[in-house]
Amino acid sequence: MVVQVSRREEAALITLNRAQALNALSFAILDELDAAFDEVASSDARVLLITGAGDKAFCAGADIKELRNRDTLSQKRGAEKGQAVFSRLTALPMPSVAVINGYAFGGGLELAMACTFRVATANARMGLPEIKLGLIPGYGGTQRLPRLVGEARALEMIMTGRAVKSDEAERIGLINRIIDGDPIEKALIFSREFTGYSLPALGFARSAVMRALDLPVAEGVKIEADLSTLAFGMKDAEEGMAAFEDKRKPEFRDE
Ligand code: CO8
């Protein structure tokens, strides 16, 4: 198995373990990822961390060797498979963090962009180089990149294939933080800024932002009204407000 699921305290950890091919994603690995997301979804993990084995790459993208000599319909089904698996990641019940520890190219960056957050080591490089292969991104990159960095920067990255280093990625909003030291330890520290909060409330917050991104504000605020009302109905909200009045730390139970 290339996709390894393990546990680091409150976090589930998925490691792409194919360092000899810079953790490139074959279609079989996409199936493994799908099964791993099932396992994580039904666990009590409060966050999912995803990283690549070795110190060179998070993931160098779709397996280019496997993409060759396939008919058009198979390619379309392949793109749809990658899109569906990455959309499942976005919809997991817990937030996810891509721990980018080297190259994140093509499908690798698309995997990272499907996570809720991205942290990267200083030596990481991120890009959508498909245009250099005569291709364009197929696993959600043309959609998620402009939502993160804006249309002009996304078009530049997609149409020139230029990779960005971590400092530029942080400046343009592609990653949340640059990390140093042990990447998983540092990602755990980053995650602890939110893992203590109510998981359902974190889910409502993610849904409110993601579902309304393409809607006019007048429509988006209606979604926000519904989801914030749902949050109010949770016992965790009662506990959070009571703890404020009692001047104590709240004890959220995800209910
Ligand atoms: N696929 C398959 N094998 C790969 C890939 C890849 N994406 N990337 C690296 N490898 C392999 C290399 O072939 C090499 O194997 P071998 O030793 O057997 O020759 C090994 O990994 C190490 O790679 P390099 O020797 O190239 O390492 P370098 O440090 O010299 O270079 C780079 C690192 C710059 C990351 C370089 O490997 C590279 O450019 N890789 C390709 C990056 C890329 O173009 N990614 C985008 C792929 S396309 C995609 O993701 C989406 C396509 C649309 C899909 C929708 C349709 C289904």
Side-chain angles (χ1 to χ4, degrees):
M1 295 281 274
V2 167
V3 176
Q4 296 180 335
V5 185
S6 58
R7 190 70 188 238
R8 284 285 185 97
E9 301 176 49
E10 71 274 37
L13 172 64
I14 288 182
T15 307
L16 295 172
N17 194 3
R18 195 189 177 200
Q20 72 282 8
L22 304 185
N23 304 316
L25 295 171
S26 65
F27 293 113
I29 297 173
L30 285 179
D31 284 335
E32 285 187 35
L33 267 178
D34 203 23
F37 294 152
D38 264 344
E39 186 180 334
V40 172
S42 58
S43 77
D44 64 353
R46 304 195 66 78
V47 63
L48 166 63
L49 310 180
I50 304 184
T51 196
D55 53 11
K56 215 174 152 186
F58 171 75
C59 170
D63 189 323
I64 298 169
K65 295 164 191 171
E66 191 186 49
L67 288 180
R68 299 192 63 200
N69 303 317
R70 282 156 47 90
D71 62 66
T72 306
L73 204 55
S74 304
Q75 295 296 17
K76 182 154 187 280
R77 291 207 179 108
E80 286 165 351
K81 179 200 270 276
Q83 290 170 0
V85 173
F86 290 4
S87 291
R88 288 212 50 215
L89 167 59
T90 301
L92 283 177
M94 66 285 288
S96 50
V97 182
V99 186
I100 304 173
N101 56 326
Y103 298 116
F105 284 165
L109 182 56
E110 290 171 306
L111 172 66
M113 289 193 293
C115 290
T116 318
F117 301 112
R118 284 147 296 285
V119 297
T121 54
N123 68 332
R125 300 277 182 282
M126 287 148 267
L128 294 176
E130 286 88 342
I131 201 74
K132 297 179 182 175
L133 302 167
L135 299 171
I136 72 166
Y139 294 164
T142 63
Q143 303 307 302
R144 291 196 174 95
L145 186 60
R147 283 169 171 77
L148 287 170
V149 305
E151 178 187 335
R153 287 183 175 119
L155 280 173
E156 183 192 327
M157 284 180 68
I158 292 166
M159 294 174 68
T160 66
R162 182 174 73 85
V164 296
K165 296 179 184 172
S166 292
D167 50 356
E168 183 176 357
E170 186 182 38
R171 183 169 53 75
I172 66 179
L174 181 54
I175 61 169
N176 297 86
R177 299 278 162 82
I178 298 177
I179 49 174
D180 56 10
D182 181 78
I184 300 302
E185 282 304 317
K186 289 298 164 67
L188 268 175
I189 291 169
F190 170 75
S191 301
R192 288 188 180 129
E193 292 181 30
F194 56 82
T195 48
Y197 296 131
S198 165
L199 213 46
L202 290 170
F204 292 141
R206 284 159 63 209
S207 280
V209 171
M210 304 300 291
R211 282 172 55 190
L213 266 180
D214 303 319
L215 298 175
V217 171
E219 292 303 312
V221 290
K222 290 179 191 165
I223 293 177
E224 184 188 75
D226 290 346
L227 290 171
S228 62
T229 306
L230 276 178
F232 260 109
M234 305 284 299
K235 287 182 186 159
D236 281 341
E238 183 49 38
E239 164 65 7
M241 292 186 282
F244 174 77
E245 283 203 24
D246 300 347
K247 300 189 187 301
R248 62 175 170 81
K249 200 171 178 290
E251 283 180 34
F252 296 120
R253 297 181 196 283
D254 299 335
E255 52 188 30

